[in-house]
Amino acid sequence: LVSGAVQAQAPETLGWLRKIHDATQKLSYSGTFVYQNGSRSETSRITRYVDARGDIEKLEVMDGVPREIVREKDTVRCYLPGARLVKVDRRTERGFPALLPERISALARNYDITLGESRRIAGYDCRAVLLTPKDNLRYGYRLYADKASGMLLRAVTVDANGEQVEQFMFTQLAIGGVTRDMVRTRHASRNWRVEDAEAAPGRLPGWGLSSELPGFHKVVELKRRLSDSRPASQVVYSDGLAAVSVFIESLEGRPEPVRTGLASMGAIHIYTREVANHVVTVVGEAPAASVQRIANAVEYRKP
């Protein structure tokens, strides 16, 4: 059945996804993009440098609280000049524009993938690739890629009614012409406070899901510190496009009561419940029902 589903996708559409994926991995570029969810929008400047040693990415958020994020390999440093603070964390899921997974053909199990319209975005002639979910457990996506390079210029997340939930879109982009100097932080942060999440691979004996969400697979397990330095465990599940994180922390010594239930922010839903004297928080860019289903499936069995 699975191979049949993959076969049903035209090689051309999967070829487009591979082209997008390769471009976001291999190209150096600098540009400005706008993130929109609901009435909220935020503009960021992104610079990415790739050489034989790997890639470095610098993101400067232009609206609201000044912040600069530099990612090198799996380490992410967020510089907050107002608070003279550097937050250090591990990257667990990919952001825009490197949205796509390594296992592109596996996406065909959960999404119908078709080619859509041609459209000009930020001076580039783009082609749309449409990913329509085969169930109500995930959002749909409209990806617009430069026909020449495959670079992703716009990504729209849509709900079951086809309504836009959020979008990222470049308003200006230059491919190439990036130096290593351009991705260094602008901040002399020598005397700044450092908050390190100390996220490192770690097993969670006894914890698991009573039933997995179709198409979602565990991609990483981490031990980490939350922003108020409480220890927690994090498990990330992904269907190759959408990622859902499960955070598990002990209730012992927790100063304030847990607020259980559902909260949402744009395309992201957050569901909190108590399990075996722990608080379980599930955060994901997936419909509320999916995030809730994963949260309700989290269980502890004595190892």
Side-chain angles (χ1 to χ4, degrees):
L1 182 78
V2 164
S3 61
V6 174
Q7 290 299 310
Q9 306 297 336
E12 190 191 1
T13 52
L14 292 181
W16 263 97
L17 288 182
R18 287 200 178 88
K19 190 174 174 177
I20 294 171
H21 182 258
D22 289 349
T24 57
Q25 298 285 308
K26 293 172 184 167
L27 293 177
S28 295
Y29 54 81
S30 58
T32 302
F33 69 82
V34 176
Y35 166 72
Q36 271 179 317
N37 94 43
S39 58
R40 204 177 128 251
S41 77
E42 187 176 81
T43 304
S44 300
R45 206 162 42 215
I46 188 169
T47 311
R48 188 165 185 276
Y49 175 77
V50 185
D51 67 8
R53 288 177 287 181
D55 65 299
I56 306 173
E57 193 174 274
K58 180 166 87 169
L59 191 75
E60 297 164 274
V61 181
M62 315 299 285
D63 305 327
V65 177
R67 59 194 192 280
E68 182 189 84
I69 298 148
V70 178
R71 182 189 59 72
E72 190 166 1
K73 297 197 169 67
D74 277 344
T75 302
V76 179
R77 286 184 173 80
C78 179
Y79 297 86
L80 296 156
R84 297 175 66 80
L85 172 66
V86 187
K87 292 185 170 196
V88 183
D89 207 341
R90 259 176 94 99
R91 177 175 70 158
T92 53
E93 53 249 6
R94 290 205 252 344
F96 176 77
L99 282 167
L100 289 162
E102 278 70 25
R103 292 167 50 241
I104 282 163
S105 54
L107 283 179
R109 295 174 199 173
N110 303 306
Y111 299 89
D112 285 317
I113 307 165
T114 53
L115 290 183
E117 64 191 315
S118 294
R119 180 178 288 191
R120 200 165 136 78
I121 299 170
Y124 291 85
D125 288 323
C126 295
R127 186 74 194 264
V129 182
L130 312 176
L131 293 102
T132 308
K134 294 181 176 182
D135 56 32
N136 59 359
L137 300 175
R138 55 206 100 232
Y139 290 126
Y141 299 89
R142 295 201 296 265
L143 308 177
Y144 295 82
D146 171 34
K147 289 178 180 177
S149 65
M151 178 72 191
L152 187 62
L153 272 96
R154 182 183 180 212
V156 184
T157 305
V158 295
D159 64 16
N161 303 318
E163 298 290 320
Q164 178 178 310
V165 184
E166 67 172 17
Q167 82 159 342
F168 291 89
M169 186 167 79
F170 275 104
T171 52
Q172 177 272 323
L173 175 70
I175 295 172
V178 178
T179 63
R180 187 170 262 275
D181 267 353
M182 290 164 69
V183 287
R184 288 202 171 96
T185 177
R186 288 184 305 121
H187 302 294
S189 55
R190 220 183 8 239
N191 303 319
W192 291 18
R193 198 158 53 87
V194 176
E195 258 181 30
D196 195 331
E198 294 166 20
R203 302 274 306 132
L204 282 77
W207 290 93
L209 299 183
S210 57
S211 61
E212 295 221 328
L213 204 60
F216 282 85
H217 302 286
K218 188 194 298 179
V219 288
V220 67
E221 283 182 84
L222 300 170
K223 298 273 190 205
R224 60 176 304 126
R225 294 199 169 279
L226 299 174
S227 55
D228 49 7
S229 91
R230 287 198 304 265
S233 297
Q234 179 185 6
V235 190
V236 183
Y237 295 87
S238 176
D239 69 351
L241 214 48
V244 178
S245 281
V246 178
F247 295 93
I248 299 166
E249 51 171 318
S250 173
L251 275 169
E252 275 166 40
R254 192 185 165 98
E256 74 283 357
V258 176
R259 291 175 62 182
T260 57
L262 184 73
S264 61
M265 200 173 66
I268 294 169
H269 289 97
I270 302 156
Y271 194 84
T272 306
R273 62 185 280 252
E274 289 183 31
V275 184
N277 205 32
H278 284 68
V279 58
V280 170
T281 307
V282 179
V283 181
E285 194 164 297
S290 299
V291 171
Q292 200 163 337
R293 250 176 81 169
I294 288 180
N296 286 333
V298 174
E299 61 175 12
Y300 179 73
R301 290 181 184 171
K302 252 201 156 87

